Amino acid sequence: ESMPHFDAAAHTTADVVRQAIIPQSRGQEHSSGALAVALMSGRETVPQHMVTHSWSNRFSHLVAAVVAHALGAPSFEQVLPRLGDELGVLESELFWKGKLDEAYWICAFSVDQHASICDVVFPGEADPVTKAAHPACPCGAPKYRGSTSPRRSDGQSIFCEMNKFDDMMRLLKKMQTGAHGTDFSHLIAVDAGFEAFGRAWCVAEIVESYRSQIPQRMKIHSQ
């Protein structure tokens, strides 16, 4: 509804965040402004998987990578065309494999964008289809960025959600290990241009999961 002009071949995750995730999560009744909280109706949900990805990647490729991982496919190229007319069939396959209710932690949905970036749009950020500049969010919610006070002893903001991915990965592994053995895993959704490996945050997450001995799985566009 927020993006009736959505083009799977053109729109990136960043485009979807600006035009769908931020508007749909604005003003919700829950304690966090993250869209994942609204989608789960505020119910606490512990994910089985964390996803590392680049926001410059096509959003459809991100979704296809997650579905390919759930189905056990080696790459996501074959899943992409099925996200349209065969979406219902894919849902059935996921259901019968017992994967439809597995939770994936994806920053775009799970981080409260209204406490971080929603009000800042950099020059040149525009919709690739309409060519219109992305809108800045008018919510007026307090923003907590990397150095916002109060800060920890290392200078990092306590309330910022974007500087704690390493802590979160260790916590999720601990929570899942206690509840489900070694179920927690790290999915690396690699874009066709391999830009994820040039993103500092993506590399940092990969290093942290390796250090924490979290099982890693990589999904690429094609073999």
Side-chain angles (χ1 to χ4, degrees), residues 21-222:
I21 292 176
I22 288 176
Q24 290 187 17
S25 58
R26 182 168 59 235
Q28 62 173 304
E29 60 187 16
H30 306 290
S31 59
S32 170
L35 183 59
V37 176
L39 293 174
M40 299 305 295
S41 299
R43 177 167 57 89
E44 181 177 334
T45 305
V46 180
Q48 288 91 1
H49 315 283
M50 174 182 169
V51 183
T52 286
H53 63 105
S54 169
W55 280 28
S56 62
N57 190 18
R58 299 287 179 267
F59 181 72
S60 59
H61 288 204
L62 169 61
V63 175
V66 171
V67 174
H69 174 263
L71 292 175
S75 60
F76 61 84
E77 182 180 31
Q78 301 303 318
V79 174
L80 271 173
R82 304 184 64 196
L83 293 177
D85 296 339
E86 294 187 41
L87 189 58
V89 178
L90 279 175
E91 289 182 358
S92 294
E93 291 180 21
L94 291 168
F95 173 80
W96 288 111
K97 283 182 174 288
K99 301 292 185 178
L100 193 58
D101 291 327
E102 286 201 0
Y104 287 75
W105 192 97
I106 300 174
C107 62
F109 296 92
S110 302
V111 169
D112 184 352
Q113 307 300 336
H114 299 283
S116 52
I117 66 163
C118 75
D119 63 334
V120 178
V121 178
F122 295 101
E125 290 188 23
D127 186 288
V129 175
T130 66
K131 309 303 180 184
H134 287 319
C137 177
C139 70
K143 301 296 184 282
Y144 303 101
R145 298 180 174 114
S147 59
T148 304
S149 295
R151 295 188 289 268
R152 305 184 305 198
S153 59
D154 61 359
Q156 292 294 312
S157 173
I158 292 175
F159 296 134
C160 177
E161 296 185 25
M162 300 183 295
N163 60 359
K164 299 178 177 64
F165 290 155
D166 52 349
D167 299 314
M168 182 200 65
M169 293 172 78
R170 289 192 292 269
L171 175 63
L172 289 176
K173 184 195 177 186
K174 182 178 180 180
M175 293 176 70
Q176 282 291 7
T177 299
H180 306 290
T182 57
D183 287 349
F184 184 64
S185 71
H186 180 203
L187 170 60
I188 306 161
V190 184
D191 52 285
F194 295 90
E195 292 183 14
F197 297 113
R199 297 288 192 268
W201 282 4
C202 293
V203 174
E205 290 168 6
I206 293 170
V207 171
E208 181 56 44
S209 67
Y210 177 79
R211 286 177 175 172
S212 299
Q213 298 183 318
I214 298 172
Q216 296 176 324
R217 301 291 183 268
M218 185 181 299
K219 291 302 169 188
I220 59 175
H221 178 262
S222 61

Side-chain angles (χ1 to χ4, degrees), residues 3 5-7 10-21 23 55-59 125-129 132 134-135:
M3 290 184 69
H5 62 293
F6 176 76
D7 184 342
H11 284 111
T12 66
T13 298
D15 296 322
V16 172
V17 168
R18 291 296 184 182
Q19 299 185 67
I21 292 176
W55 280 28
S56 62
N57 190 18
R58 299 287 179 267
F59 181 72
E125 290 188 23
D127 186 288
V129 175
H134 287 319

